Amino acid sequence: MERIDGHTLLIGLMAYPIRHSMSPTMHNNAFAKLGLNYAYLAFEIDNDKLEKAVDAIRTLDMRGSNVSMPNKQKIIPYLDKLDPAAKMAGAVNTVVNDNGVLTGYTTDGTGFMKSLADEGLDIRGKKMTLAGAGGAGTPIAIQAALDGVKEISIFNLDDAQWEQAEKNVEIINRETDCKATLHHLEDKEDFKKEIASSYIYCDATGVGMKPLEDMTLVEDPSWFYKDMIVFDTVYAPRETKLMKVAKEAGVDHVLNGLGMMLEQGAEAFKLWTGEDMPVDYIRELLFSEDN
């Protein structure tokens, strides 16, 4: 508490639900480790409150904010600028306030790729099946394509995100060497077939997180095989229903979103402070936490 004084700068996290988030633990411990005069707080903000919450960033002269579901795409009209990756992805997870000018960034895609590299895993030149085309799925797909993934099969429900999924496929096929195709998540046989021919399956939906913690898009372990990667972007609970199914199948590499959260957070930390997050210190702290 001795760090908090009249010069402390506030950084927020705007999402709903958000009380499960490890981001305040991550950032506040990193600030303390480096002796930086910032404080990071989580605010439960949904789409209805988002515009006023963004105004508050300017009004309170906050340094910025993270943004998570369901606000990553909805926040864009309220910002002044987007960096190229956020513009390409059509999603923002980090806002930086420079004297009242709000710029949106996306660090989810780089966080995803770096978290795989941290585990010694390389998906370049491989095929990925990805569920979801929202605020996490979109930057994951685009960054993976930019970084050299050979093929991406994107699955989404025929809902409000379907148009975004179509845009993702069009952008990837136009701007990268990756081949992207779009599939209906309702078609379970197609879903099973594409996973079977992929090196990595990534679930970038909210399924598995409260209030859907008892659900998974893949319930049958036979859909998976040993020498693949199953990645769930959810990290609370620490072991999701999808991860349990994958472990039952004997999959070698079963990952939750904690490493991705750490690496995307490190990217945001640098944008706000200009300093490198002490990643090894924070990784040890986060991974030792109980569920």
Side-chain angles (χ1 to χ4, degrees):
M1 290 303 297
E2 62 270 17
R3 293 191 308 110
I4 305 296
D5 60 24
H7 300 281
T8 303
L9 293 176
L10 177 63
I11 296 172
L13 168 58
M14 299 177 179
Y16 187 90
I18 202 53
R19 297 306 178 200
H20 65 278
S21 176
M22 294 294 292
S23 290
T25 300
M26 172 174 64
H27 286 289
N28 287 313
N29 277 280
F31 297 148
K33 181 72 170 176
L34 298 182
L36 301 176
N37 200 355
Y38 294 86
Y40 186 106
L41 295 177
F43 301 98
E44 290 210 315
I45 302 294
D46 58 14
N47 293 168
D48 293 340
K49 298 178 180 178
L50 185 58
E51 183 175 9
K52 290 182 179 179
V54 174
D55 286 342
I57 297 175
R58 295 188 181 91
T59 302
L60 300 176
D61 198 23
M62 296 169 61
R63 179 62 181 128
S65 183
N66 276 140
V67 183
S68 193
M69 294 186 291
N71 301 320
K72 291 185 177 184
Q73 292 158 320
K74 296 291 186 180
I75 198 172
I76 290 176
Y78 308 133
L79 303 177
D80 301 304
K81 297 191 298 183
L82 297 177
D83 90 316
K87 186 177 293 185
M88 185 180 290
V92 165
N93 79 329
T94 302
V95 177
V96 177
N97 180 10
D98 292 308
N99 300 313
V101 177
L102 303 186
T103 303
Y105 299 82
T106 179
T107 66
D108 279 331
T110 53
F112 170 74
M113 295 299 291
K114 284 186 176 182
S115 69
L116 290 171
D118 290 343
E119 298 292 329
L121 300 172
D122 187 358
I123 62 173
R124 292 173 297 177
K126 304 295 180 61
K127 177 179 177 179
M128 174 167 69
T129 291
L130 174 68
T138 291
I140 285 173
I142 289 175
Q143 193 65 51
L146 289 170
D147 285 357
V149 170
K150 181 180 180 181
E151 185 177 349
I152 304 177
S153 297
I154 299 174
F155 281 80
N156 204 82
L157 295 172
D158 193 0
D159 61 9
Q161 296 291 351
W162 184 261
E163 184 177 349
Q164 181 63 51
E166 290 179 319
K167 290 180 182 178
N168 295 348
V169 167
E170 192 274 328
I171 289 170
I172 290 169
N173 287 330
R174 186 185 71 235
E175 302 289 342
T176 78
D177 294 327
C178 178
K179 176 188 175 183
T181 54
L182 180 57
H183 306 255
H184 288 274
L185 191 54
E186 293 89 346
D187 188 341
K188 297 303 181 184
E189 283 303 312
D190 187 35
F191 194 27
K192 177 181 179 181
K193 176 175 69 70
E194 292 300 309
I195 289 175
S197 63
S198 296
Y199 178 59
I200 178 171
Y201 167 64
C202 175
D203 187 326
T205 72
V207 176
M209 182 176 70
K210 291 182 180 180
L212 306 175
E213 62 266 39
D214 294 326
M215 297 179 64
T216 175
L217 297 178
V218 180
E219 298 181 347
D220 186 347
S222 70
W223 286 28
F224 298 133
Y225 61 93
K226 183 178 185 296
D227 300 324
M228 71 179 301
I229 303 167
V230 174
F231 191 109
D232 196 334
T233 58
V234 172
Y235 63 86
R238 193 68 58 90
E239 184 178 69
T240 64
K241 182 74 176 295
L242 170 64
M243 295 173 67
K244 292 176 182 177
V245 172
K247 289 178 180 180
E248 186 179 344
V251 173
D252 282 340
H253 305 289
V254 182
L255 306 174
N256 64 18
L258 195 60
M260 175 179 164
M261 190 271 291
L262 171 64
E263 292 292 359
Q264 64 81 24
E267 294 283 316
F269 188 91
K270 180 80 169 184
L271 289 169
W272 293 318
T273 69
E275 303 285 343
D276 291 325
M277 177 184 280
V279 171
D280 291 339
Y281 168 75
I282 298 299
R283 179 182 291 110
E284 184 178 352
L285 187 151
L286 291 184
F287 281 65
S288 67
E289 289 284 330
D290 293 329
N291 285 333

